Amino acid sequence: MQDKQTNSYLKSFKWVYSRLQPLRIRQMWFLFFGMTATAFLETLALGSVAFFASCMTDPNAMIASKYVKTVQAFVGGAQVFSRKELILGSGGIMVGLILLKNSLRATVTYWIYRFGVAMEAYFGRILIEGFLKLPYQWHLSMNSADLINALHWRTYLGRNFFQPCLKIFNNILMVAIMLVALFIVQPLISMIVIVVIGLSALFIYKIIRTWIDAVASKGRNYQIIINKEVSMAIQGIKDVKNSRKERVFSAKFTQKAEPLARVFGVQELLSELPVLILETIGFSLIFFSIFIMLVLMNQSTAYVTGTMTILAVTAWKALPAINRILRNVTKVRHSLPYLATEAMYIEIIEDHARYLDESETKPLIFRNKIVFSTVVFQYQNNDSKILDQMSFSIKKGETVGIIGKSGAGKSTLVDLLIGLLEPTSGVICIDGIPLDQSTRKAWLDMTGYVPQSPFIYDGTLAENVAFGVEKDLIDSERVLECCRMASMDDFLDDLPDSIESKVGERGIKLSGGQQQRVAIARALYNEPEVMIFDEATSSLDDRSERAIQETIYSFKGKQTLVIIAHRLSTLEQCDSILWIEKGKIKRKGRADEILMDYRQKASA
Ligand code: ADP
C-alpha cells in the first residue's frame, strides 16, 4: 500500500475489507443489520424516557395528548386511561424497550470485539505462514526484529483499526437516527444542535488530525528502533557483556523509550481532548437554547421544559456517541502508519503467492546422484557472483568434504544443495529431476543439516530432537534411536529424566559438543538420505571434535555425507574433496591428493 493510500481511511478500510474471508463478510453484514436495529431501538427508548418524564410531570395533559389517544384507539378501549395506568404503562414500555435495546447492544458490542480479534488472528496467520514460507533468500535481506514487530502489530489490523471502524459506523448510525427523530419533533432546535455540534466535532478533528499523524509516525519509528536495540542486546548478551557495552545498550533504550513515553502521553491526551471540548460545548448549547426560547422567543416555561427534556436525553446519548466517534477516529488515524507496515508485508506475501501454494509439491526419489550444472548464485543485496559456473556431482552414498578459505562460498553452496537457496542461473538435479519449487519440499525432507551453532530451544531433549513435532506426536523410540546414533548414551544416562529432561534456556545448559550431538540427532530424526555438516566441529575443543568426528564417520557408507570443515584432519576419511576458491571449483578428487595439494598451497 502506498503512502497516499494510507492517508485515506476509506482506502485502508477497503484494503482490509477486500482481504476478508467470505464468512467474515457475511458476518459483517449481519453486524451492520444488528447495529441499525440497535440504533432504532435506542431512539425509541429515548422517546419512551421523554414520554415517561412528561407523564410523571403532567399526566392530565398527556392523557389528552394525541399520542395517548392514538394508542387508545388502537387497543379499542372506550374507557379513558387513568393517571396511574398511564404512568405504570409508559414506565413499563420504557423498561421493556431499554431491556430490549441493551440486550441487542450487548450482543452487537460482543460481536464488534469478537470480529476485531478474529481478524487479528486471521491476518496474524497470513503473516506467520507467509513469513515462514517466503524464500530463505528473502529472510537474509530482512531484519528479524522487524518481522517480529509485524507479527505483534497485527492488532493494528483488528483491535486498533477494523474494530474502531465498526464502532465509528455503529455510533454514526445511532447519532444519525437520533438526530433525525429529534428533527421530526423539534426542527429548529435540532438544526442548531446539528450545526453547532457537527461543526465543533469537525473542527476538533481537523485540528488534532495533523497532530495525531505526526505523533503516530513518531511512535512507530521509536518502537522499531527500541525493538531492534533490545533484540540485539538480548540476543548478543555474550558480546554485550564481553565488550562491556551494557551501559551503551541501556542508554540507547532509554534515549528512545523516554520520548516514546511522551508520545503515548500525548496520544492519550488527544483521545480525551474531544470528550472534554464537546461536553463543554454541549452544555453551553443547552443553556443557550433555554436563553433563546425564554428571552428571544418568549416561550412558556412548560414548552421550554418539554423541549429541554428531549434535548437533554438526546445530549445524554448523542454526546457520548459523538465522543466515541472522535475517539475511534483518533485511534484509526493513529494506527494508519502501523497498518501501512502490515500492508507492505502482506502485499509482499501476496506477491510471492507461488511459495505459499503447496499443491505443486512432487515426490522425489534419490537413487543415483546430485548434479550441479553451471550453477551461478548471487545474494539479492550483493552484486558479486558468490558461486560462479559451478558444475560437479555427488554420488549416492559418497562422503564429500568441502574445503576453501573463509568467504570462498562453502556455506552458500551447502544452502543451495539442501534447497534453501535457489540458483540465480544453472540447475541442480537429483537423478535428472531439477530441484525447483515443486521438488524442493521433498528434497528438504530428505536432507539433514547440522550447523556450526545449533539452535537449542527451551524444551525437553525429545522436543529438541524431534524439532517442531507436536509433543504428543513425538516418536520417543525414534528419538532414543537417533540419540544413540549421535553417540549420546553417556549423556542420556546423566540426565535426570532421559529424553524428557529440560534443556536450553531454562533447563540444563548443554556444552558445545552436546549441542552438536543434539543437532545430529535432530538431523537424523527424519531419516535423511543426505547429511550435511557445516563446520559442525569448528567451535569444539580437540577432544569433543574427535568424538563428534567419529560419530559423523559412523554414518559413512550408510548415508550420503557432505562435510565442510576448517580443520583438514577432519576430512581425511572422505571419499572425495571439493576445493572451492572465490566461488569456483578449483579441484575435485580423491581426499588424500587434494588435501596434500591444499596443505602445500597453504604453507607456500
Ligand atoms: P564460506 O562458508 O566459504 O566462509 P560463505 O558462503 O559464508 O563462505 O560466504 C561467501 C560470500 O558470500 C562471502 O563473501 C559473504 O560475504 C557473502 N555472503 C554470505 N552471506 C550473505 C548474505 N546473506 N548476503 C550477502 N552476502 C552474503
Side-chain angles (χ1 to χ4, degrees):
M1 195 159 43
Q2 288 128 26
D3 256 2
K4 255 192 281 163
Q5 270 178 305
T6 56
N7 287 332
S8 148
Y9 301 117
L10 209 61
K11 279 192 178 150
S12 303
F13 184 86
K14 268 195 193 154
W15 186 93
V16 178
Y17 181 82
S18 64
R19 282 162 177 81
L20 290 183
Q21 303 140 291
L23 171 75
R24 293 272 169 244
I25 291 183
R26 276 200 301 278
Q27 280 177 346
M28 207 177 85
W29 286 110
F30 260 117
L31 199 55
F32 283 156
F33 176 74
M35 286 178 190
T36 318
T38 316
F40 270 111
L41 274 178
E42 192 90 51
T43 311
L44 271 180
L46 279 191
S48 74
V49 172
F51 188 78
F52 178 66
S54 308
C55 291
M56 293 284 286
T57 327
D58 193 352
N60 290 336
M62 290 315 284
I63 287 171
S65 75
K66 60 178 179 187
Y67 303 110
V68 176
K69 289 227 151 49
T70 317
V71 174
Q72 237 166 1
F74 186 71
V75 294
Q79 220 184 315
V80 175
F81 284 135
S82 72
R83 289 196 299 183
K84 212 175 179 182
E85 278 170 348
L86 185 72
I87 292 173
L88 290 179
S90 59
I93 291 174
M94 178 185 75
V95 172
L97 275 173
I98 289 180
L99 188 75
L100 190 63
K101 73 107 183 156
N102 279 347
S103 313
L104 196 58
R105 177 155 296 281
T107 315
V108 165
T109 308
Y110 169 73
W111 273 100
I112 289 180
Y113 283 104
R114 193 78 201 253
F115 207 86
V117 282
M119 278 183 54
E120 258 169 62
Y122 171 64
F123 281 111
R125 202 191 75 212
I126 291 185
L127 284 167
I128 186 75
E129 260 183 31
F131 285 166
L132 296 182
K133 285 183 178 171
L134 279 174
Y136 181 61
Q137 166 90 298
W138 180 78
H139 281 267
L140 292 177
S141 62
M142 299 308 295
N143 180 297
S144 56
D146 284 347
L147 301 188
I148 294 169
N149 269 348
L151 279 166
H152 288 320
W153 289 352
R154 65 187 185 280
T155 55
Y156 290 98
L157 286 154
R159 258 173 292 177
N160 292 320
F161 177 74
F162 211 77
Q163 188 173 297
C165 285
L166 291 178
K167 284 188 189 163
I168 292 170
F169 187 75
N170 192 19
N171 285 290
I172 286 180
L173 258 178
M174 201 169 92
V175 173
I177 292 176
M178 257 178 221
L179 291 183
V180 168
L182 184 69
F183 191 79
I184 294 168
V185 186
Q186 281 293 340
L188 178 71
I189 298 293
S190 50
M191 273 309 285
I192 299 176
V193 171
I194 293 169
V195 170
V196 176
I197 297 280
L199 284 182
S200 330
L202 206 67
F203 185 65
I204 296 169
Y205 171 65
K206 284 259 180 225
I207 289 191
I208 61 171
R209 193 172 70 174
T210 0
W211 207 358
I212 299 170
D213 283 348
V215 164
S217 303
K218 235 189 210 172
R220 180 195 57 173
N221 295 342
Y222 283 143
Q223 286 211 23
I224 290 178
I225 299 171
I226 285 178
N227 288 350
K228 246 180 226 167
E229 297 292 352
V230 169
S231 49
M232 208 152 91
I234 303 284
Q235 279 164 15
I237 186 70
K238 207 168 180 179
D239 297 276
V240 171
K241 288 199 141 321
N242 203 22
S243 55
R244 301 207 300 111
K245 290 281 182 341
E246 294 97 329
R247 264 228 191 127
V248 177
F249 278 95
S250 56
K252 276 186 185 175
F253 176 85
T254 320
Q255 262 170 21
K256 295 288 174 288
E258 278 172 3
L260 182 65
R262 280 197 291 280
V263 164
F264 283 147
V266 175
Q267 260 168 11
E268 288 299 314
L269 171 72
L270 289 180
S271 60
E272 291 296 329
L273 216 52
V275 183
L276 304 177
I277 300 174
L278 274 185
E279 192 182 273
T280 316
I281 293 174
F283 281 92
S284 309
L285 198 64
I286 290 181
F287 174 72
F288 182 66
S289 308
I290 295 175
F291 177 80
I292 293 182
M293 283 189 283
L294 278 180
V295 181
L296 302 180
M297 291 164 79
N298 223 1
Q299 296 280 8
S300 71
T301 38
Y303 179 81
V304 173
T305 316
T307 310
M308 277 311 110
T309 316
I310 295 175
L311 249 189
V313 285
T314 311
W316 167 51
K317 281 280 148 192
L319 280 182
I322 295 173
N323 285 335
R324 281 196 293 273
I325 295 172
L326 287 183
R327 193 191 287 251
N328 283 298
V329 167
T330 314
K331 207 170 183 181
V332 167
R333 194 147 192 105
H334 166 223
S335 62
L336 288 183
Y338 296 88
L339 188 93
T341 307
E342 298 302 89
M344 177 191 82
Y345 284 116
I346 291 175
E347 284 177 4
I348 289 177
I349 292 167
E350 287 168 353
D351 289 345
H352 287 76
R354 74 185 182 100
Y355 291 100
L356 311 186
D357 183 12
E358 309 248 284
S359 59
E360 265 188 87
T361 305
K362 284 188 205 148
L364 199 64
I365 300 169
F366 176 38
R367 288 203 185 90
N368 205 354
K369 60 181 173 184
I370 306 162
V371 177
F372 272 56
S373 308
T374 57
V375 167
V376 175
F377 181 79
Q378 253 175 292
Y379 284 101
Q380 265 167 7
N381 53 356
N382 193 333
D383 287 342
S384 51
K385 286 179 184 167
I386 304 299
L387 299 185
D388 194 6
Q389 303 288 329
M390 280 225 168
S391 297
F392 65 91
S393 60
I394 297 173
K395 284 204 281 300
K396 185 172 169 135
E398 195 179 354
T399 297
V400 182
I402 302 181
I403 54 171
K405 283 192 198 142
S406 175
K410 305 182 291 294
S411 295
T412 309
L413 173 70
V414 158
D415 285 344
L416 281 152
L417 176 67
I418 50 180
L420 273 183
L421 294 175
E422 293 171 52
T424 310
S425 67
V427 66
I428 303 166
C429 288
I430 314 298
D431 289 350
I433 298 182
L435 200 54
D436 59 15
Q437 184 56 21
S438 62
T439 48
R440 191 161 288 115
K441 287 188 192 82
W443 183 238
L444 279 165
D445 287 344
M446 292 159 81
T447 53
Y449 176 69
V450 183
Q452 184 177 355
S453 321
F455 171 61
I456 305 291
Y457 69 90
D458 194 9
T460 63
L461 177 64
E463 284 172 304
N464 266 287
V465 170
F467 196 71
V469 177
E470 284 290 339
K471 212 172 168 147
D472 301 341
L473 301 178
I474 293 176
D475 179 350
S476 302
E477 284 303 310
R478 176 80 195 143
V479 171
L480 273 170
E481 196 186 334
C482 295
C483 288
R484 279 195 203 106
M485 284 195 276
S487 317
M488 287 167 75
D489 300 69
D490 290 350
F491 174 52
L492 280 182
D493 291 343
D494 291 343
L495 289 174
D497 300 311
S498 183
I499 55 167
E500 293 309 325
S501 307
K502 282 258 178 202
V503 294
E505 233 178 295
R506 277 177 297 160
I508 297 159
K509 300 279 171 287
L510 303 180
S511 71
Q514 287 163 343
Q515 288 186 20
Q516 285 305 337
R517 292 192 185 285
V518 173
I520 294 174
R522 180 185 292 167
L524 287 167
Y525 187 78
N526 289 327
E527 302 179 45
E529 304 253 3
V530 184
M531 293 271 284
I532 292 133
F533 301 87
D534 188 353
E535 304 268 17
T537 57
S538 312
S539 57
L540 303 181
D541 56 71
D542 280 353
R543 230 182 94 227
S544 308
E545 183 184 4
R546 269 197 304 278
I548 295 282
Q549 199 179 322
E550 261 176 46
T551 307
I552 294 176
Y553 285 107
S554 68
F555 307 123
K556 193 176 170 201
K558 298 176 203 151
Q559 265 141 328
T560 310
L561 304 179
V562 177
I563 308 166
I564 299 182
H566 205 63
R567 272 171 239 162
L568 301 183
S569 56
T570 324
L571 299 174
E572 275 160 2
Q573 296 177 53
C574 286
D575 298 322
S576 63
I577 299 279
L578 200 60
W579 176 355
I580 298 177
E581 217 170 75
K582 292 182 188 151
K584 289 182 190 272
I585 296 182
K586 177 133 172 112
R587 283 185 64 192
K588 182 173 189 243
R590 278 178 39 188
D592 50 353
E593 289 171 8
I594 305 269
L595 288 176
M596 194 172 68
D597 290 356
Y598 189 80
R599 278 193 183 104
Q600 272 173 359
K601 188 170 180 225
S603 59

